[in-house]
Amino acid sequence: NAGVMQNPRHLVRRRGQEARLRCSPMKGHSHVYWYRQLPEEGLKFMVYLQKENIIDESGMPKERFSAEFPKEGPSILRIQQVVRGDSAAYFCASSPYGGQGKPQHFGDGTRLSIL
Amino acid sequence: DAKTTQPTSMDCAEGRAANLPCNHSTISGNEYVYWYRQIHSQGPQYIIHGLKNNETNEMASLIITEDRKSSTLILPHATLRDTAVYYCIVRVDGGNQFYFGTGTSLTVIP
């Protein structure tokens, strides 16, 4: 999974705090995807972004979650007022473009634990 | 959600070929088949993908049937480090996401 960098690898928050997860895509990739994986489950799509644009947020919870991919810097997944149910592994993936035929390359994720 | 069906689990002897099947009977003409694997606590690792022709790379081979309704991922000489959950994914045409499903848990036995 070299190339897509996520940090932090582990994040502990208390209920009600904010969590910020960062993702730097592979060099030359301008498309970023966020997925969430609950224990013993497969990855679930959350949001797809290009530089400065949210393209598809159909998998994002309606409240407390937001994502951005600014012109400069990493993509950020932000979770406000975290609850115990937000505990999960959050994975970021990137690709050079969004069409068919190009795989998404994943980072090693951020494990979020809510106390 | 997922457009693929895979066995829940498989075993393979170390050094032998591991053949992982996947059914995708509703696949449409423009949709690719992708394979990923996830080793515990790591992110999904891309293995291979294909449209209609068989593909081979340094990790694996992908055999797609002529009608494209199923495919097989082949790890030619399985090692203990190949123990992982393997996901067969068909990306919905025009869609942005991969549906990971529950995959096949492959255990390579010494």
Side-chain angles (χ1 to χ4, degrees):
Chain A
N1 295 317
V4 178
M5 303 302 295
Q6 291 189 248
N7 65 82
R9 288 296 310 276
H10 301 274
L11 182 61
V12 179
R13 285 288 178 266
R14 296 187 181 280
R15 281 178 294 171
Q17 291 184 321
E18 178 180 288
R20 282 185 175 240
L21 288 62
R22 288 178 291 278
C23 169
S24 296
M26 286 181 70
K27 186 177 181 180
H29 288 192
S30 59
H31 296 246
V32 165
Y33 311 79
W34 285 93
Y35 291 78
R36 177 166 63 176
Q37 186 173 32
L38 296 172
E40 309 303 322
E41 294 187 11
L43 279 74
K44 297 287 194 291
F45 169 80
M46 299 181 74
V47 62
Y48 162 42
L49 310 102
Q50 294 178 34
K51 284 286 187 180
E52 300 184 278
N53 288 303
I54 296 175
I55 306 303
D56 180 355
E57 54 182 350
S58 58
M60 286 278 270
K62 294 288 186 278
E63 298 176 347
R64 303 188 296 110
F65 285 72
S66 62
E68 62 177 8
F69 189 16
K71 186 176 180 181
E72 301 291 337
S75 175
I76 306 288
L77 179 67
R78 181 182 178 205
I79 311 172
Q80 295 178 290
Q81 300 175 328
V82 296
V83 300
R84 287 250 171 88
D86 296 333
S87 294
Y90 292 83
F91 292 98
C92 167
S94 73
S95 66
Y97 62 81
Q100 284 276 5
K102 277 293 182 183
Q104 297 175 13
H105 295 271
F106 286 79
D108 276 336
T110 293
R111 270 108 189 125
L112 176 63
S113 298
I114 308 303
L115 302 180
Chain B
D1 288 339
K3 295 183 66 174
T4 63
T5 305
Q6 300 177 252
T8 302
S9 63
M10 293 180 62
D11 293 338
C12 177
E14 187 179 16
R16 304 296 292 270
N19 297 289
L20 290 86
C22 179
N23 289 322
H24 31 80
S25 58
T26 61
I27 195 171
S28 66
N30 298 324
E31 293 174 341
Y32 283 71
V33 180
Y34 300 81
W35 282 85
Y36 285 78
R37 70 181 183 185
Q38 188 175 25
I39 298 169
H40 182 63
S41 82
Q42 297 180 16
Q45 179 187 23
Y46 165 73
I47 301 173
I48 199 166
H49 73 287
L51 181 61
K52 57 178 73 173
N53 298 320
N54 297 337
E55 302 287 345
T56 296
N57 63 21
E58 66 279 3
M59 290 184 67
S61 295
L62 174 61
I63 308 298
I64 302 174
T65 57
E66 194 168 339
D67 64 7
R68 302 210 323 121
K69 294 184 184 299
S70 66
S71 61
T72 301
L73 178 75
I74 301 172
L75 308 178
H77 305 286
T79 70
L80 299 180
R81 287 180 294 181
D82 292 323
T83 293
V85 178
Y86 287 76
Y87 296 99
C88 168
I89 299 165
V90 171
R91 183 174 181 176
V92 173
D93 196 16
N96 300 306
Q97 55 184 290
F98 287 158
Y99 292 103
F100 273 80
T102 53
T104 295
S105 179
L106 174 70
T107 302
V108 180
I109 302 168

